[in-house]
Amino acid sequence: MRLDLDTIRSADRRIRPYIHRTPVLTSSRLDEASGASLFLKCENFQKIGAFKARGATNAVFLLNDVAAQRGVATHSSGNHGAAVARAAKLRGIPAHIVMPSNSAKVKICAVEGYGAHIVFCEPTEQAREVACADAIAKTGATLIHSFENENVIAGQGTAAVELLEEVPDLDLVMCPVGGGGLLCGTAVAAKSMRPKIKVIAVEPANADDAAQSFRAGRRIVTQKKFTIADGLRTNVGEPNFAIIQRYVDDIMTVSEEAIVSAMRTIWETMKIIIEPSAAVPYAAIQEAKIDVSAKRVGIILTGGNVDLDALPWNL
Amino acid sequence: MRLDLDTIRSADRRIRPYIHRTPVLTSSRLDEASGASLFLKCENFQKIGAFKARGATNAVFLLNDVAAQRGVATHSSGNHGAAVARAAKLRGIPAHIVMPSNSAKVKICAVEGYGAHIVFCEPTEQAREVACADAIAKTGATLIHSFENENVIAGQGTAAVELLEEVPDLDLVMCPVGGGGLLCGTAVAAKSMRPKIKVIAVEPANADDAAQSFRAGRRIVTQKKFTIADGLRTNVGEPNFAIIQRYVDDIMTVSEEAIVSAMRTIWETMKIIIEPSAAVPYAAIQEAKIDVSAKRVGIILTGGNVDLDALPWNL
């Protein structure tokens, strides 16, 4: 996979007309609590409410015209499906989004709102892949995988480029890890722009395949327990793990309680809405899993799509 | 009362070191839904989580040294108490905050956190005033009234100054009205900086004394029904009503359902946390109480202090 700062900067120019340059917020109260200077990159304010708009837009606009006309396809129960649907609409091409039949209604509406064709399937990983392969066989659409696609990864890396352009002298950058698309883009961008920076990934203890793999030095696929951070249930991808081994400094895990507590702290302190997955890096700081005192720390807040009728502190 | 753009600009310079210049956010989705261009002044991101930090800071820092040493006092169940406590701490003087004994614990903690002396009283308007007068008699503290004090009003007007500096060509500016401190400061600042601008106030139908007074041409004090917009239960003050008659173009009312719906729309669309009172102006737009099509509309989002355990759509 060719993934370097040049491909990420190209992605940045390509997607610029279609995405927000999101703000970087600070909080004196969070700084006091952590002893660090925190810089929060607000991808919860991004188009479709999550960083996923970046990678999907880059991948869709990189297709040549012949392939593009046949459309794009993906399987996703979450933000990536909406991101691909929106990018396809912007390019004026068909999108086939495979979603589990038990997907939240708000997520189905979002994808429908962009005019995509939805294919419902049983809520298993295998059913999703079969339904997606089927749609591709019928239509000739191109698969836009949510984290293994190199153009998606390059697009996700543009958030870190913007963050480091705005705050160049960071000591470390933190983001959550699920499949590894955001982490790989972030790590390559950050280490290329600032070689001395540390890149720290955080994942729920209930879905700790990346941390296990990192320690073992080989990719380990695990059966996942439930985690409130539903965006992070996926196992790290093969190509992603190779990049992680090369560029990431550490991967740590946090408890479910810490994730909910960190999410609530950020809501109450900063008055911004973030989804549970976005709270995972701050949970590691709040739980003192990492010493950030006197450090300048960039954190990518990945998204803000939550069901206000089912907030975790009400469950 | 001497209240003009000069006094508001002086307040702006005075409080600058102590408050945030809050961002003005826009939303393509809210613009589509309303047919207008909306500019949302985010006082939910302000110190203490509400615009009240502005007026209290101005009033506390305007005291001469002799008066200041005797301290300040106020009665408030909400954001103004925290704002006075914080301003007093910044100036290094005592603050006596009278709060109803049934105040939310989080509000009590906020005031305590600034080192203020809390006086608890029965939850009636009369008991609050008696307890406050008593504290003043004992200590010689200066009363900082939450909306009748002219220095408080001048301070609240600085939010509109910032808004119009950032977006000069607004057709109208909207804010909620309770006691009238924010509305008066906003109206004087906006009409002075841009004489053709319309100033529209909105209040809950369940607390519509300002709208009744405006139509009658004289100040009417009403018994209030419950409203979720707890910051707006107060009757408009005497000095405030005189300014409102001179500077405000209209006052409209909205239902409780519209307030909750507008609050939820802004949370979901913009991923920011605002309190019910802050949603009141957008409720008038969403309920089509006002035609804003093709207009450039400034809205002051007054604050973001909500109890996440008691959100209105879960009640």
Side-chain angles (χ1 to χ4, degrees):
Chain A
M1 185 180 292
R2 183 177 171 252
L3 181 73
D4 57 22
L5 187 57
D6 279 349
T7 56
I8 298 174
R9 286 207 185 275
S10 298
D12 189 51
R13 287 187 295 272
R14 187 171 299 112
I15 68 180
R16 179 67 37 219
Y18 308 113
I19 63 146
H20 288 306
R21 188 177 179 104
T22 53
V24 177
L25 297 186
T26 60
S27 162
S28 52
R29 279 169 64 194
L30 290 192
D31 283 358
E32 263 171 51
S34 65
S37 296
L38 305 182
F39 299 89
L40 299 139
K41 177 69 173 166
C42 287
E43 291 296 297
N44 54 327
F45 296 156
Q46 189 50 269
K47 294 284 183 187
I48 73 108
F51 75 90
K52 297 272 187 181
R54 297 176 180 270
T57 305
N58 189 49
V60 166
F61 278 83
L62 261 169
L63 293 175
N64 67 46
D65 285 342
V66 175
Q69 290 317 311
R70 291 195 295 262
V72 290
T74 198
H75 52 90
S76 161
S77 54
N79 294 321
H80 178 66
V84 170
R86 176 177 176 270
K89 187 187 180 194
L90 286 169
R91 186 147 183 198
I93 62 173
H96 308 275
I97 313 293
V98 175
M99 301 182 78
S101 50
N102 62 352
S103 298
K105 205 181 159 192
V106 60
K107 294 191 172 170
I108 296 170
C109 288
V111 173
E112 281 179 342
Y114 294 116
H117 175 232
I118 300 181
V119 181
F120 290 105
C121 70
E122 292 300 301
T124 68
E125 189 63 25
Q126 203 196 350
R128 282 163 55 153
E129 287 179 9
V130 168
C132 194
D134 191 50
I136 289 169
K138 278 185 193 148
T139 62
T142 301
L143 172 68
I144 310 286
H145 193 278
S146 61
F147 52 84
E148 293 187 349
N149 180 306
E150 66 182 288
N151 300 326
V152 168
I153 298 174
Q156 318 302 32
T158 60
V161 169
E162 290 179 8
L163 172 61
L164 279 156
E165 281 174 356
E166 196 162 331
V167 193
D169 53 346
L170 292 177
D171 297 308
L172 62 105
V173 62
M174 300 178 75
C175 75
V177 54
L182 176 68
L183 177 57
C184 289
T186 300
V188 170
K191 289 279 186 181
S192 306
M193 290 174 76
R194 187 169 169 81
K196 281 195 217 160
I197 204 168
K198 298 282 182 209
V199 178
I200 309 288
V202 188
E203 71 183 347
N206 282 2
D208 68 344
D209 69 289
Q212 283 193 37
S213 301
F214 190 78
R215 282 194 296 272
R218 62 186 170 83
R219 181 166 169 266
I220 295 171
V221 169
T222 63
Q223 282 289 1
K224 300 305 167 68
K225 292 178 225 154
F226 172 83
T227 171
I228 189 78
D230 56 352
L232 308 178
R233 280 175 205 159
T234 328
N235 281 289
V236 166
E238 287 264 10
N240 307 80
F241 185 63
I243 297 170
I244 288 170
Q245 284 188 293
R246 182 163 165 203
Y247 289 98
V248 174
D249 293 287
D250 201 0
I251 302 182
M252 44 195 62
T253 62
V254 289
S255 67
E256 294 297 296
E257 295 70 28
I259 296 169
V260 174
S261 168
M263 177 176 164
R264 185 162 180 154
T265 297
I266 289 175
W267 282 44
E268 290 185 334
T269 309
M270 303 193 65
K271 316 298 183 192
I272 61 173
I273 292 176
I274 61 166
E275 57 198 28
S277 299
V280 164
Y282 186 69
I285 294 174
Q286 209 174 29
E287 238 189 349
K289 288 288 181 88
I290 179 171
D291 179 15
V292 291
S293 55
K295 295 226 163 62
R296 294 170 67 80
V297 182
I299 296 177
I300 299 181
L301 296 178
T302 49
N305 293 325
V306 293
D307 180 355
L308 294 179
D309 290 318
L311 294 174
W313 43 84
N314 290 326
L315 298 181
Chain B
M1 183 180 294
R2 180 173 174 256
L3 181 72
D4 58 20
L5 187 57
D6 279 350
T7 55
I8 299 173
R9 285 207 186 274
S10 297
D12 189 51
R13 287 188 294 273
R14 187 172 299 111
I15 68 179
R16 180 66 38 218
Y18 307 112
I19 63 146
H20 286 307
R21 186 176 181 105
T22 54
V24 177
L25 296 186
T26 61
S27 161
S28 52
R29 280 169 63 192
L30 290 191
D31 284 358
E32 264 171 51
S34 66
S37 296
L38 304 182
F39 300 89
L40 300 139
K41 177 69 172 166
C42 288
E43 291 295 296
N44 54 327
F45 296 156
Q46 188 51 269
K47 293 285 183 186
I48 73 110
F51 74 91
K52 297 273 187 181
R54 296 176 180 269
T57 305
N58 190 48
V60 166
F61 278 83
L62 262 168
L63 293 174
N64 67 47
D65 284 343
V66 174
Q69 289 318 311
R70 290 194 297 263
V72 290
T74 198
H75 52 90
S76 161
S77 56
N79 295 322
H80 178 66
V84 170
R86 176 177 176 270
K89 186 186 181 195
L90 287 168
R91 187 146 181 199
I93 62 174
H96 308 275
I97 313 293
V98 175
M99 301 183 78
S101 50
N102 62 353
S103 298
K105 203 179 161 195
V106 59
K107 293 189 173 172
I108 296 169
C109 288
V111 172
E112 280 179 343
Y114 294 117
H117 174 233
I118 300 182
V119 181
F120 289 104
C121 69
E122 291 300 301
T124 69
E125 189 63 25
Q126 204 196 349
R128 283 163 54 154
E129 286 179 10
V130 168
C132 194
D134 189 50
I136 288 169
K138 278 185 193 148
T139 61
T142 301
L143 173 66
I144 310 286
H145 192 278
S146 61
F147 52 84
E148 293 186 350
N149 181 306
E150 65 183 288
N151 300 327
V152 168
I153 298 175
Q156 317 302 31
T158 60
V161 169
E162 289 179 7
L163 173 60
L164 279 156
E165 281 175 356
E166 195 161 332
V167 193
D169 54 345
L170 291 178
D171 297 307
L172 62 105
V173 63
M174 301 177 73
C175 75
V177 54
L182 177 68
L183 177 56
C184 290
T186 300
V188 170
K191 290 278 187 182
S192 306
M193 290 174 75
R194 188 169 168 81
K196 282 194 216 159
I197 204 168
K198 299 283 182 208
V199 177
I200 309 289
V202 189
E203 71 182 348
N206 283 2
D208 68 344
D209 69 289
Q212 283 192 39
S213 302
F214 190 78
R215 282 194 296 274
R218 62 185 171 82
R219 181 166 170 265
I220 296 170
V221 169
T222 63
Q223 282 288 1
K224 300 304 167 66
K225 292 177 225 152
F226 172 83
T227 171
I228 188 80
D230 56 353
L232 309 178
R233 281 175 203 159
T234 327
N235 282 288
V236 165
E238 286 265 9
N240 307 80
F241 186 62
I243 297 170
I244 288 170
Q245 284 189 293
R246 182 163 166 206
Y247 288 98
V248 173
D249 293 287
D250 202 0
I251 302 181
M252 45 196 60
T253 63
V254 290
S255 68
E256 294 297 296
E257 295 70 28
I259 296 169
V260 174
S261 169
M263 178 176 163
R264 185 164 179 152
T265 298
I266 289 174
W267 282 45
E268 289 185 334
T269 309
M270 303 193 64
K271 315 298 183 190
I272 61 173
I273 291 175
I274 61 167
E275 57 198 27
S277 300
V280 164
Y282 186 69
I285 294 174
Q286 208 174 30
E287 239 189 350
K289 288 287 180 90
I290 179 172
D291 179 15
V292 292
S293 55
K295 294 225 165 62
R296 293 170 68 80
V297 182
I299 297 176
I300 299 182
L301 296 178
T302 49
N305 293 326
V306 293
D307 179 354
L308 294 178
D309 290 318
L311 294 173
W313 43 84
N314 290 326
L315 299 179

